[in-house]
Amino acid sequence: MAMHPSRSCFSVLVVVYLLQYKLFFVHCILNPLDFLALQSVRKSLDDMPGSNFFASWDFTSDPCNFAGVYCESDRVIALNLGDPRAGSPGLIGRLDPAIGKLSALTELSVVPGRIMGSLPQSISQLKDLRFLAVSRNFLSGGIPATLGQLRNLKTLDLSYNQLTGDIPRSIGTIPGLSNVILSHNHISGSIPPFLSETLTRLELKHNELSGYISPTSLPPSLQYLSLSWNRLSGPVDLLLSRLDRLNYLDLSMNQLSGCIPSRIFTFPITNLQLQRNSFSGPVQPGGQVTIPTVDLSYNRLSGGISPLFSTVQSLYLNNNRFTGQIPGSFADRLLDASIQILYLQHNYLTGMQINPTVEIPLSSSLCLQYNCMVPPIQTPCPLKAGKEKTRPTGQCNEWRG
């Protein structure tokens, strides 16, 4: 029996279609769900002027060859959106929720640009995700509490955005977190406990965080802690005494109070920033201080200045309530240029043993004005130190009394 001509043509078309379909999937072996997810990501983003990141995103070719797409077998395992070279224009648009369909993803990053809107809740479906970085964009809204479901996450960087709300407590329960960078946002509330015993970097500076920091809320594994420019309050001596692996500490520009623990000066810190708080009481290091930069200015610290600070290269003790004579070891180290900056202005100090005819090395800066003495040596001070050389006698007598 002869085949009807129309049925014969249909059969040929089906065969041709199947051959094309087969050839396409021989060429592009990517999982269909990943393929569709990448299409959605592309539709929601564009290159900013000067960027040609998406030029290679031609969906008639293999997406595993796209810029920023990295595959293993038939799955996308890393997605780095935007040209990573310094100064390159970024991307504009929003992150499509379909990004959560890339279920094998271990790394997701977006270069600085103009990504707006909220961070998609669907990212919490990426159970293998270890690295999430979307910094220096315009993300808004809250940090999804569901990010706590990313139990393999090591690095979370959402810095320099416009995020609001608090830090979800669920994030602090992620067991293997190493780096949390949420600085330069509008995040409020208190700092939740972080339970990860591998957390080494915590950056929360330039936010609107407030309240007390529990002595046990941060793990002793921390090496880098930056909480400056917030509204944190209360004592931190018990907390700091536990963090003996710190090599960088910045708690400046808060409302922290209480004493500064002597133990902290023995930590392997290269930069200690505690200025502009309400710390009070004497400061007595347990041994010679080898931290290169120590800034304790603009607090309420009192008592004598310990000679153990004379080994610090840049020491800011100005605008406190220190009293008594300045130890002679400071003069010795100033004259041999071991001290680069020694700011002691705006205290209640009564003297310094130094020859008034000596010249301070050009590489060193000394400021003594507005104390309970006539500065024994005239040196240039920063402009904000004011013009008065000596504190009024009445203030000095009142402080001594």
Side-chain angles (χ1 to χ4, degrees):
M1 181 179 176
M3 183 177 290
H4 193 278
S6 62
R7 188 174 298 172
S8 174
C9 289
F10 177 76
S11 300
V12 171
L13 285 172
V14 168
V15 170
V16 170
Y17 174 79
L18 288 173
L19 283 171
Q20 288 178 335
Y21 183 84
K22 183 177 180 182
L23 285 171
F24 175 76
F25 277 98
V26 166
H27 179 64
C28 174
I29 59 170
L30 189 64
N31 180 286
L33 288 177
D34 286 13
F35 184 88
L36 293 172
L38 288 176
Q39 282 188 319
S40 297
V41 168
R42 174 65 186 93
K43 287 174 184 174
S44 65
L45 296 171
D46 277 304
D47 282 307
M48 286 179 63
S51 170
N52 62 350
F53 173 75
F54 282 124
S56 66
W57 281 48
D58 176 2
F59 284 92
T60 63
S61 62
D62 185 356
C64 293
N65 293 326
F66 291 178
V69 177
Y70 303 89
C71 300
E72 190 173 278
S73 186
D74 65 339
R75 304 306 306 272
V76 176
I77 60 167
L79 184 59
N80 306 135
L81 294 169
D83 187 339
R85 289 175 294 185
S88 298
L91 306 176
I92 187 168
R94 296 172 181 268
L95 292 177
D96 193 280
I99 211 162
K101 300 292 186 183
L102 298 169
S103 57
L105 211 59
T106 62
E107 180 179 322
L108 173 60
S109 67
V110 183
V111 302
R114 297 188 65 85
I115 305 296
M116 301 182 184
S118 58
L119 194 68
Q121 295 264 359
S122 59
I123 287 179
S124 61
Q125 299 169 17
L126 305 175
K127 303 304 182 186
D128 294 326
L129 198 66
R130 294 196 297 268
F131 184 90
L132 174 58
V134 190
S135 65
R136 296 182 186 273
N137 277 279
F138 290 82
L139 291 177
S140 57
I143 301 171
T146 51
L147 290 186
Q149 297 172 20
L150 300 175
R151 307 309 283 177
N152 291 304
L153 196 66
K154 306 295 183 189
T155 293
L156 174 63
D157 184 357
L158 302 177
S159 58
Y160 291 89
N161 280 289
Q162 298 175 358
L163 298 169
T164 55
D166 58 7
I167 301 172
R169 291 180 70 89
S170 59
I171 289 176
T173 68
I174 298 174
L177 267 182
S178 296
N179 306 287
V180 176
I181 307 169
L182 302 176
S183 51
H184 289 270
N185 279 287
H186 305 290
I187 301 169
S188 56
S190 59
I191 297 175
F194 283 88
L195 307 181
S196 170
E197 296 179 359
T198 58
L199 187 67
T200 56
R201 188 180 190 98
L202 181 60
E203 274 196 70
L204 305 177
K205 65 184 178 183
H206 283 268
N207 276 292
E208 298 165 19
L209 296 165
S210 59
Y212 287 62
I213 310 173
S214 166
T216 57
S217 61
L218 302 180
S221 55
L222 273 175
Q223 298 175 21
Y224 187 107
L225 178 59
S226 179
L227 305 178
S228 62
W229 291 88
N230 280 288
R231 295 197 291 268
L232 299 166
S233 58
V236 289
D237 53 324
L238 294 178
L239 170 72
L240 293 179
S241 294
R242 296 174 57 249
L243 305 181
D244 58 0
R245 298 181 203 171
L246 284 174
N247 56 49
Y248 181 92
L249 176 62
D250 187 356
L251 303 182
S252 62
M253 308 298 290
N254 279 288
Q255 299 158 21
L256 300 168
S257 58
C259 66
I260 296 174
S262 59
R263 247 193 110 215
I264 197 174
F265 299 106
T266 66
F267 295 172
I269 295 175
T270 57
N271 198 318
L272 176 61
Q273 305 280 334
L274 300 179
Q275 70 271 23
R276 295 186 183 272
N277 279 286
S278 297
F279 291 117
S280 59
V283 186
Q284 295 296 333
Q288 205 71 48
V289 181
T290 58
I291 302 171
T293 299
V294 174
D295 193 342
L296 309 181
S297 63
Y298 293 92
N299 278 288
R300 300 173 185 174
L301 301 169
S302 58
I305 293 177
S306 170
L308 298 172
F309 280 118
S310 64
T311 43
V312 176
Q313 294 173 18
S314 299
L315 180 63
Y316 304 83
L317 299 180
N318 54 288
N319 295 79
N320 277 289
R321 299 171 183 177
F322 288 113
T323 56
Q325 291 269 330
I326 301 165
S329 53
F330 282 97
D332 298 338
R333 292 184 62 78
L334 264 172
L335 296 177
D336 69 15
S338 297
I339 294 179
Q340 296 172 3
I341 295 174
L342 180 59
Y343 281 178
L344 302 176
Q345 68 270 22
H346 287 257
N347 279 290
Y348 294 81
L349 300 167
T350 52
M352 181 178 189
Q353 294 296 321
I354 190 169
N355 188 333
T357 63
V358 300
E359 290 190 10
I360 302 293
L362 291 174
S363 60
S364 300
S365 296
L366 169 67
C367 185
L368 297 173
Q369 71 184 49
Y370 210 71
N371 275 288
C372 297
M373 62 176 174
V374 176
I377 186 168
Q378 299 302 312
T379 54
C381 284
L383 283 174
K384 57 187 175 185
K387 295 181 179 179
E388 295 182 75
K389 298 294 182 186
T390 306
R391 187 180 283 278
T393 306
Q395 289 186 21
C396 294
N397 291 337
E398 181 182 332
W399 191 251
R400 288 194 195 102

